[in-house]
Amino acid sequence: MTPSWLSDPIAVPSVVCMAVAKARQEQLTKPRGSLGRLEEMAMLLAGLQDREYPAADRVGIAIFAADHGVAVAGISPYPQSVTVEMIRNFSRGGAAINVLARMLQARLEVVDVGALLDPGPLPGVVSKRAGAGTRDFRFAPAMTHEEWRSALQAGAEAAWRAAEEGCDLFIGGEMGIGNTTSAAALASALMRKAPELLAGPGAGLDPVGVARKVAVIEESLTRHRHVLNNPVEMLIALGGFEIVALVGAFIAAAQRRIPVLVDGFIASVAALYATRLRGDVRPWLLFAHESAEPGHRLVLDEMQAAPLLRLGMRLGEASGAAVAVPVLRLACALHREMATFAEAGISAG
Amino acid sequence: MTPSWLSDPIAVPSVVCMAVAKARQEQLTKPRGSLGRLEEMAMLLAGLQDREYPAADRVGIAIFAADHGVAVAGISPYPQSVTVEMIRNFSRGGAAINVLARMLQARLEVVDVGALLDPGPLPGVVSKRAGAGTRDFRFAPAMTHEEWRSALQAGAEAAWRAAEEGCDLFIGGEMGIGNTTSAAALASALMRKAPELLAGPGAGLDPVGVARKVAVIEESLTRHRHVLNNPVEMLIALGGFEIVALVGAFIAAAQRRIPVLVDGFIASVAALYATRLRGDVRPWLLFAHESAEPGHRLVLDEMQAAPLLRLGMRLGEASGAAVAVPVLRLACALHREMATFAEAGISAG
């Protein structure tokens, strides 16, 4: 039932490359440690990429889009039809991630893993539909085992395409009306924390809506309480196709030795889930930003993740991760191009 | 005595352009407010640049380098000779800011406003030496009125060159062994806060060194206590040539309607000083990052400044500001290029 690639090995970061990078950082013409997290990122990427000079030039971004049956419970200010409308917007290049990908000259693909309506063939959109949206998980598991397997595979294939293109970095994003509810339910189950700590306004719910969202999650956790100790069944019960795809993509990227730059709340819940399934995936996950969605902080803390940016973003679709790409590129350039004290003939080191 | 340009008018941001930008942001295909500070930056830049579509493409960076007589008091782990060695490193393109400016395709110039040793003519270095370093302000005012005027002028001229080149954004940076001591003394005097709150490790002092730095500042504030209520005399007593140049540059940039992206601790102290001299300069100052130097937070709070990044950087030479440039560029691109709900035919707005 479980796809065989899921147990493929994940490498550990190269201790040698990290040590070489650290030694180089200490010779560059600056007070030791004065580039802060940029030094840390250069060393970490060197270890992950197993290179003397790490790179973040070739970036592969995959946006997974899907619908959620639970959206009918009034947990989003937007109707489910917006998911497919946004798929069309991605295809035409008008969404935030399109603009960001163009600016970054990144590889962008959109994967329809199961919007309610099938948009049909669209440029730039890969159709890997696991189903026509999930079921409303208040009343039944969100998906079948076969749908779970399809969505997981769709995610892995996106990471494999990024690997074939020689990407230095993989970013997974999501679009799906209602998906903060699914993510908050999963996070609540994974962390054993109360839903009110993890449910937030998402795309813009008012306080009454947030209270409804909390109640929906509580009801759903109660319904599925008997499967919450089983990782696969938990995801099948409460997940969304795009969240499952993110899990598959993150694990597959790590298996192909591509560092993952994790976006906001939903991507981080997928990352947390992935680390529970495969603890060895954790070193491959870099955290781009802290979202304005209040539950994100708790999910980050659970993984002891220190995100690079905090810009009050809460859009999803990998937008926060994309904004962090230039920071990594500048970190790599500084590591590669700065003069050493010896080269510059400077008396202090 | 005071240069006449110092009282030239500074425009207020265009309320109309900000309102137009806000209206556009609300029509773009994303939940309202979901791009967080990127939306805020696009609106603010639109108002400052008096344009419908703001830009951060052409960036002018000026690094002011100078020495400090107080460096002999053992308040830096580096000898003063490093200042001129770093000027040579800038000229050869090996310093952090050279790498960053190349990556950003930014205009970079280095202005020698008074290193202890005159490096002579160097490519990429503008010689505007106000003196051969300042005097040790434990015993005398750091500079003369004439030196103050020279350094202020050197700063303004750098901003005027950026304006002539049509820069969308101005960044002022600094290099000068001992300059966190001068900046902490000024901040302490400006904010009437104890020196121990503002003196930090700078380029890497140990705790004993920091305690010495605090004592040096206390001694100097006592010596110059009778002039600390006079803004010009305070700066002459405790400043450095590069700090005075930054003050001149920030005011001159605002007068030419160029938004300023402020770097770390020292640049922020210059910014605070500039706002005390000319309150109308404040809207023109955007704050790039919160430095690892502990006093920076207090200086930012004093101006109610919310920096964009916090990456644990503490290098100076405009490096933190440079790292924030891509964030502004992406904010401008999103504002300009995203589709509106109407363009995308999306049902919710």
Side-chain angles (χ1 to χ4, degrees):
Chain A
M1 193 62 215
T2 302
S4 64
W5 60 263
L6 203 54
S7 46
D8 285 353
I10 294 175
V12 295
S14 160
V15 179
V16 173
C17 285
M18 287 185 73
V20 169
K22 186 170 196 307
R24 176 167 171 80
Q25 280 290 336
E26 293 182 354
Q27 291 164 18
L28 299 178
T29 48
K30 57 179 173 57
R32 198 173 281 193
S34 62
L35 286 173
R37 301 214 58 199
L38 275 62
E39 298 189 16
E40 179 200 318
M41 287 296 127
M43 293 186 282
L44 186 54
L45 284 173
L48 293 170
Q49 295 175 344
D50 200 22
R51 306 181 200 172
E52 187 172 356
Y53 295 105
D57 298 325
R58 289 166 299 181
V59 177
I61 307 175
I63 306 295
F64 302 102
D67 270 308
H68 294 259
V70 73
V72 300
I75 45 70
S76 173
Y78 294 88
Q80 285 185 82
S81 57
V82 168
T83 302
V84 79
E85 287 165 356
M86 280 301 295
I87 292 176
R88 292 200 185 93
N89 193 25
F90 292 135
S91 175
R92 281 191 302 254
I97 192 58
N98 297 108
V99 176
L100 295 169
R102 280 197 295 272
M103 288 287 288
L104 300 172
Q105 299 183 280
R107 181 184 191 278
L108 172 65
E109 62 173 35
V110 175
V111 183
D112 174 11
V113 273
L116 185 59
L117 301 169
D118 185 346
L122 287 172
V125 179
V126 181
S127 183
K128 293 280 176 184
R129 296 171 55 77
T134 53
R135 265 161 297 281
D136 184 343
F137 57 56
R138 287 178 298 171
F139 310 118
M143 64 191 77
T144 65
H145 284 76
E146 192 45 44
E147 288 169 340
W148 164 79
R149 199 184 158 92
S150 276
L152 200 68
Q153 187 73 17
E157 287 172 3
W160 296 338
R161 284 190 291 273
E164 276 157 32
E165 302 276 336
C167 287
D168 302 309
L169 203 65
F170 177 79
I171 294 175
E174 43 57 46
M175 167 69 216
I177 297 303
N179 66 5
T180 57
T181 300
S182 170
L186 283 168
S188 183
L190 286 165
M191 297 162 62
R192 300 178 189 281
K193 286 199 194 299
E196 62 259 39
L197 298 173
L198 291 152
L205 272 186
D206 60 19
V208 174
V210 174
R212 189 162 49 231
K213 188 169 170 177
V214 169
V216 163
I217 295 170
E218 283 170 346
E219 178 187 347
S220 307
L221 290 174
T222 302
R223 164 168 291 271
H224 299 291
R225 67 190 177 283
H226 299 303
V227 301
L228 298 183
N229 282 322
N230 178 315
V232 169
E233 299 303 324
M234 173 208 285
L235 189 57
I236 282 171
L238 300 169
F241 298 142
E242 77 282 49
I243 295 174
V244 176
L246 285 168
V247 170
F250 292 165
I251 292 172
Q255 288 169 335
R256 299 295 169 106
R257 217 168 174 137
I258 310 177
V260 173
L261 189 56
V262 180
D263 189 37
F265 179 63
I266 294 150
S268 295
V269 172
L272 174 61
Y273 182 89
T275 61
R276 293 290 173 87
L277 215 57
R278 290 289 303 261
D280 49 358
V281 83
R282 178 64 187 85
W284 295 86
L285 305 176
L286 313 180
F287 290 83
H289 78 127
E290 182 178 336
S291 152
E293 183 71 3
H296 195 200
R297 182 74 257 167
L298 289 176
V299 176
L300 292 166
D301 287 346
E302 184 79 7
M303 291 181 280
Q304 298 180 289
L308 285 169
L309 306 177
R310 188 167 64 179
L311 294 167
M313 297 174 72
R314 52 177 174 82
L315 173 55
E317 61 181 70
S319 54
V323 174
V325 167
V327 176
L328 298 183
R329 287 181 175 169
L330 294 173
C332 292
L334 288 161
H335 186 72
R336 187 175 63 236
E337 297 180 20
M338 277 183 73
T340 62
F341 282 109
E343 284 164 359
I346 291 182
S347 39
Chain B
M1 192 61 216
T2 302
S4 63
W5 60 264
L6 204 54
S7 47
D8 284 353
I10 295 175
V12 294
S14 160
V15 178
V16 172
C17 286
M18 287 185 72
V20 168
K22 186 169 196 304
R24 178 168 170 79
Q25 280 290 336
E26 293 182 355
Q27 290 163 18
L28 299 177
T29 48
K30 57 179 172 57
R32 198 174 282 192
S34 62
L35 286 172
R37 301 212 59 197
L38 275 62
E39 298 189 16
E40 179 200 318
M41 287 297 126
M43 292 186 282
L44 187 54
L45 284 173
L48 293 170
Q49 294 174 343
D50 200 21
R51 304 181 201 172
E52 187 172 354
Y53 296 104
D57 299 324
R58 289 167 298 182
V59 176
I61 306 175
I63 306 296
F64 303 101
D67 269 308
H68 294 260
V70 75
V72 300
I75 44 71
S76 174
Y78 294 88
Q80 285 184 83
S81 56
V82 168
T83 302
V84 80
E85 286 165 355
M86 280 300 295
I87 292 176
R88 293 198 185 95
N89 194 24
F90 291 135
S91 176
R92 282 190 301 255
I97 192 59
N98 297 107
V99 176
L100 295 169
R102 280 198 295 272
M103 288 287 289
L104 299 172
Q105 299 183 280
R107 180 184 192 280
L108 173 64
E109 62 173 36
V110 175
V111 183
D112 174 10
V113 274
L116 185 60
L117 300 170
D118 185 344
L122 288 172
V125 178
V126 181
S127 182
K128 291 282 174 182
R129 296 172 55 79
T134 53
R135 265 160 298 280
D136 184 344
F137 57 56
R138 287 178 298 171
F139 310 118
M143 64 192 78
T144 66
H145 284 76
E146 192 46 42
E147 287 168 340
W148 164 79
R149 198 186 159 91
S150 275
L152 201 67
Q153 188 74 17
E157 287 171 2
W160 297 338
R161 285 190 291 272
E164 276 157 31
E165 301 277 337
C167 287
D168 301 309
L169 203 63
F170 178 79
I171 293 174
E174 44 56 47
M175 167 67 217
I177 298 301
N179 66 6
T180 57
T181 300
S182 169
L186 283 168
S188 184
L190 286 166
M191 296 162 62
R192 300 178 189 282
K193 288 201 193 297
E196 62 260 37
L197 298 173
L198 292 152
L205 272 186
D206 60 19
V208 173
V210 175
R212 188 161 51 234
K213 189 168 167 176
V214 169
V216 163
I217 295 171
E218 283 169 346
E219 177 187 349
S220 307
L221 290 174
T222 302
R223 165 167 291 271
H224 299 293
R225 67 190 178 281
H226 300 303
V227 302
L228 298 184
N229 282 320
N230 178 315
V232 170
E233 298 303 325
M234 172 208 286
L235 189 57
I236 282 171
L238 300 170
F241 298 143
E242 78 281 50
I243 295 173
V244 176
L246 284 169
V247 170
F250 292 165
I251 293 172
Q255 289 169 334
R256 297 295 169 106
R257 218 169 173 136
I258 310 179
V260 173
L261 189 56
V262 180
D263 190 37
F265 179 62
I266 294 150
S268 296
V269 172
L272 173 61
Y273 182 90
T275 61
R276 293 291 173 85
L277 215 58
R278 292 288 304 261
D280 49 359
V281 83
R282 178 64 187 86
W284 296 86
L285 305 176
L286 313 181
F287 291 83
H289 77 126
E290 182 179 335
S291 153
E293 182 71 3
H296 195 198
R297 182 72 258 168
L298 289 176
V299 176
L300 291 167
D301 286 347
E302 183 80 7
M303 291 181 280
Q304 297 179 290
L308 284 169
L309 307 177
R310 188 168 64 180
L311 294 167
M313 296 174 73
R314 53 178 173 81
L315 173 57
E317 62 180 69
S319 54
V323 175
V325 167
V327 177
L328 297 183
R329 285 180 176 171
L330 294 174
C332 292
L334 288 161
H335 186 73
R336 186 176 64 235
E337 296 178 21
M338 276 182 75
T340 62
F341 282 109
E343 283 163 1
I346 292 182
S347 38

